[in-house]
């Protein structure tokens, strides 16, 4: 969403908020296979972080594998940016624990992340047509089910993207638009201006995916079988997140 706010007023709002901000309130998490596409792309997202947000009291973590992130820390997190690939519709091993916690939270406590805002990006191979781009789409859907607000259209790299007017979305252009959208929503909050979550399918407003726009939803039990195969431990239950 694009919210226009006066620059002078915006700076005053941000300066007033600085004392209440934690050190790192924007989390960059990723899931990537051996080829490392998302590990590479999330670095681009990190490099594009705007100085104006840092001056406003916001900070961003270094990119971290989803399994390294303490899911319970989402209670104190303001913004989550997630970048992920898929394999036959399932997450990379280094995101499986995060995905397990997110799915469990969405089922047990819908709306528990209502304080959060998020954006998702990722990669896919159209060779695997049936489950193409499944993880970016499914994680985006589950975050919304948990109550998080999507502040920018999902970036499916190589696919159409309305906000950047791109035939094929690219990490650098998506990152610039994403950080700009986040800046606008933060400024809107400071001015008590309401903003709406961007629709899940908003990226296709100008052009549909040439492959498909489907999501393959799997169960916790199916994910746990994949985790066992990959020798990834099932995480302990996350603390109850209050809605």
């Amino acid at each position: 969403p694009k919210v226009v706010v006066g620059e002078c007023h915006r700076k005053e709002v941000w300066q007033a908020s600085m004392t209440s901000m934690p050190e790192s309130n924007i989390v960059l998490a990723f899931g990537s296979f051996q080829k490392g596409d998302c590990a590479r792309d999330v670095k681009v997202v990190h490099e594009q972080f705007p100085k104006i947000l840092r001056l406003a009291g916001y900070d961003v973590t270094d990119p971290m594998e989803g399994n390294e992130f303490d899911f319970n820390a989402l209670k104190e997190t303001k913004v989550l940016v997630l970048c992920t690939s898929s394999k036959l519709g399932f997450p990379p091993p280094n995101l499986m624990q995060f995905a397990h916690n997110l799915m469990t939270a969405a089922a047990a406590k819908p709306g528990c992340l209502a304080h959060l805002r998020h954006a998702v990006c990722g990669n896919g191979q159209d060779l695997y047509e049936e489950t193409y781009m499944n993880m970016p789409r499914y994680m985006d859907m589950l975050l919304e089910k948990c109550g998080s607000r999507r502040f920018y259209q999902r970036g499916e790299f190589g696919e159409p993207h309305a906000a950047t007017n791109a035939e094929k979305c690219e990490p650098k252009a998506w990152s610039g638009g994403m950080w700009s959208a986040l800046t606008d929503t933060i400024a809107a909050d400071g001015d008590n201006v309401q903003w709406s979550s961007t629709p899940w399918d908003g990226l296709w407003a100008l052009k549909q995916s040439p492959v498909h726009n489907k999501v393959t939803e799997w169960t916790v039990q199916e994910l746990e079988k994949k985790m066992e195969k990959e020798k990834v431990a099932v995480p302990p239950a996350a603390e109850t997140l209050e809605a």
Side-chain angles (χ1 to χ4, degrees), residues 15-28:
Q15 287 169 356
S17 70
M18 286 178 68
T19 56
S20 62
M21 291 297 176
E23 184 176 349
S24 290
N25 36 49
I26 304 173
V27 170
L28 294 187

Side-chain angles (χ1 to χ4, degrees), residues 53-126:
L53 282 179
R54 198 179 305 279
L55 291 172
Y58 282 79
D59 201 3
V60 62
T61 65
D62 290 332
M64 67 179 78
E65 295 180 355
N67 290 355
E68 294 179 350
F69 177 64
D70 178 5
F71 193 83
N72 293 314
L74 284 180
K75 290 186 296 184
E76 306 298 331
T77 301
K78 303 290 186 183
V79 183
L80 173 68
V81 181
L82 178 64
C83 184
T84 181
S85 300
S86 309
K87 183 177 182 180
L88 300 177
F90 285 87
N94 62 0
L95 190 72
M96 284 180 169
Q97 292 177 335
F98 178 92
H100 189 283
N101 276 324
L102 181 62
M103 190 168 194
T104 301
K109 197 80 172 181
C112 62
L113 297 177
H115 66 284
L116 187 70
R117 67 194 72 189
H118 75 273
V120 177
C121 61
N123 292 281
Q125 295 185 20
D126 55 13

Side-chain angles (χ1 to χ4, degrees), residues 3-223:
V3 183
V4 179
V5 181
E7 290 297 325
C8 291
H9 191 191
R10 176 184 297 184
K11 290 177 182 177
E12 291 172 1
V13 168
W14 287 343
Q15 287 169 356
S17 70
M18 286 178 68
T19 56
S20 62
M21 291 297 176
E23 184 176 349
S24 290
N25 36 49
I26 304 173
V27 170
L28 294 187
F30 72 93
S32 194
F33 293 98
Q34 288 184 346
K35 190 177 178 182
D37 288 345
C38 283
R40 174 201 64 213
D41 294 339
V42 77
K43 290 179 182 177
V44 175
V45 177
H46 188 263
E47 290 166 357
Q48 296 291 308
F49 183 68
K51 292 180 180 178
I52 189 66
L53 282 179
R54 198 179 305 279
L55 291 172
Y58 282 79
D59 201 3
V60 62
T61 65
D62 290 332
M64 67 179 78
E65 295 180 355
N67 290 355
E68 294 179 350
F69 177 64
D70 178 5
F71 193 83
N72 293 314
L74 284 180
K75 290 186 296 184
E76 306 298 331
T77 301
K78 303 290 186 183
V79 183
L80 173 68
V81 181
L82 178 64
C83 184
T84 181
S85 300
S86 309
K87 183 177 182 180
L88 300 177
F90 285 87
N94 62 0
L95 190 72
M96 284 180 169
Q97 292 177 335
F98 178 92
H100 189 283
N101 276 324
L102 181 62
M103 190 168 194
T104 301
K109 197 80 172 181
C112 62
L113 297 177
H115 66 284
L116 187 70
R117 67 194 72 189
H118 75 273
V120 177
C121 61
N123 292 281
Q125 295 185 20
D126 55 13
L127 175 65
Y128 304 102
E129 181 175 344
E130 186 64 26
T131 55
Y132 180 62
M133 289 288 180
N134 198 62
M135 274 299 295
R137 296 174 184 181
Y138 198 19
M139 294 297 96
D140 196 10
M141 180 183 293
L142 289 175
L143 282 164
E144 185 171 45
K145 187 173 181 180
C146 285
S148 179
R149 287 193 292 172
R150 183 184 306 103
F151 66 87
Y152 192 59
Q153 295 169 4
R154 186 174 58 259
E156 299 184 359
F157 300 139
E159 286 286 290
H161 191 257
T164 55
N165 196 29
E167 292 274 335
K168 294 185 177 181
C169 185
E170 296 181 353
K172 188 173 182 179
W174 182 85
S175 300
M178 182 273 293
W179 290 127
S180 178
L182 176 59
T183 301
D184 286 338
T185 60
I186 291 171
D189 288 345
D191 278 351
N192 293 316
V193 175
Q194 295 295 317
W195 59 274
S196 300
S197 180
T198 299
W200 179 88
D201 58 355
L203 71 163
W204 298 309
L206 299 181
K207 184 177 181 179
Q208 287 293 309
S209 167
V211 183
H212 64 68
N213 58 6
K214 299 183 296 183
V215 179
T216 300
E217 299 184 40
W218 30 259
T219 65
V220 169
Q221 292 74 24
E222 288 172 323
L223 176 59

